[in-house]
Amino acid sequence: MRSRSIGRRPRSAYPVLLLLAPALAAGCAAGTRPTATPTNGWDGPSAVATAGQPAAPTPPPTPGPPSPSPTRTDLRHVFPVRADNVAYHPTHAAYPGTDIFADCGEPVVAVTDGRILEVSRVDRFDKRGLLGPYNGGLSVSLLGDDGVRYYGSHLSAISAGVTAGARVRAGQQLGRVGHTGNANNVCHLHFGISPACRGHDDWWIRRGVIWPARYLDSWRERGNRAPAAEVVAWQRKHGCPKAPTTTSGAG
């Protein structure tokens, strides 16, 4: 679908999509049957995806790696979809996250400066199979220089050069809005905020652990509200769970 860039007159199409959010959330969460976490669900070797991270590839005997300490507090944050006609809901299914509704093909961009952790370029979703790790379809996760992991899924395409270990800047295009995975044929971006923890294959954390809406509200208005403190507080309380704590699916 042809991309619509910022600067056009906004349309009022997406209040209708917000009415569909409960049905979409049910589709994202229904039927999940996670058993074992696969190690081959992501393109790019995990050795690259985890290079330079504080956490070792083999989880330590403690609940998780030390709580992240932001290395930079002056980072710029931007809204993850570069379009004027978007809508999102403050809640999402049974776990924190947000579905950002926008036309398929709109640019998805890096929220802040950082390094790519994981990239899935193949849609492995099958409603008859193991759903948890694959619900997101085409997806990208970014470890910001603020110590926070940002995750976007259901993409229709991923930009060239966006690979595990690559450096990106705030506003750099990572891909395009789509409806891969369990998006129920509705164009949107699932957006999650979490600590890096293992940095790969921990879909039950990567999908989101804190509610993103208040940060999205700020970034959409060109503010710079930062989630690092809330992510640090969450990890100090919960550590890094080694398995899903609910049976709801990943976005």
Side-chain angles (χ1 to χ4, degrees):
M1 179 174 291
R2 184 176 58 191
S3 173
R4 297 173 171 80
S5 60
I6 294 176
R8 295 167 303 162
R9 180 175 299 174
R11 294 182 282 118
S12 59
Y14 286 96
V16 176
L17 280 176
L18 289 179
L19 296 176
L20 297 177
L24 178 64
C28 288
T32 309
R33 299 183 296 280
T35 55
T37 303
T39 58
N40 61 349
W42 301 97
D43 294 341
S46 56
V48 175
T50 58
Q53 287 183 238
T58 301
T62 57
S67 297
S69 296
T71 56
R72 289 179 57 187
T73 58
D74 61 339
L75 285 177
R76 181 170 70 103
H77 295 80
V78 301
F79 195 81
V81 177
R82 193 167 65 226
D84 58 349
N85 191 26
V86 298
Y88 52 91
H89 197 272
T91 61
H92 176 277
Y95 62 89
T98 296
D99 288 332
I100 301 174
F101 300 100
D103 291 330
C104 276
E106 295 286 19
V108 173
V109 302
V111 166
T112 193
D113 297 353
R115 178 170 52 83
I116 300 298
L117 286 175
E118 288 183 292
V119 179
S120 174
R121 293 181 178 273
V122 178
D123 186 358
R124 296 182 173 89
F125 174 73
D126 183 346
K127 63 182 179 181
R128 298 167 299 179
L130 186 67
L131 302 186
Y134 302 137
N135 282 13
L138 275 62
S139 62
V140 177
S141 67
L142 162 70
L143 177 61
D145 289 344
D146 54 1
V148 175
R149 174 169 49 181
Y150 301 95
Y151 171 68
S153 64
H154 305 313
L155 303 177
S156 60
I158 294 173
S159 301
V162 177
T163 58
R167 288 285 305 174
V168 295
R169 305 283 295 185
Q172 180 176 334
Q173 186 167 338
L174 303 180
R176 294 188 179 276
V177 173
H179 52 68
T180 56
N182 69 338
N184 286 345
N185 207 36
V186 176
C187 298
H188 72 284
L189 175 75
H190 172 86
F191 181 69
I193 300 176
S194 67
C197 287
R198 293 196 314 212
H200 64 99
D201 297 331
D202 55 344
W203 60 266
W204 56 94
I205 303 172
R206 181 186 62 219
R207 65 187 181 180
V209 300
I210 66 171
W211 295 105
R214 62 176 180 161
Y215 303 105
L216 294 173
D217 290 346
S218 172
W219 304 338
R220 192 175 189 182
E221 298 300 321
R222 301 186 183 278
N224 199 36
R225 190 167 194 166
E230 187 177 358
V231 170
V232 168
W234 184 93
Q235 191 175 356
R236 284 176 178 163
K237 181 178 180 179
H238 300 280
C240 284
K242 297 179 181 178
T245 56
T246 70
T247 58
S248 58

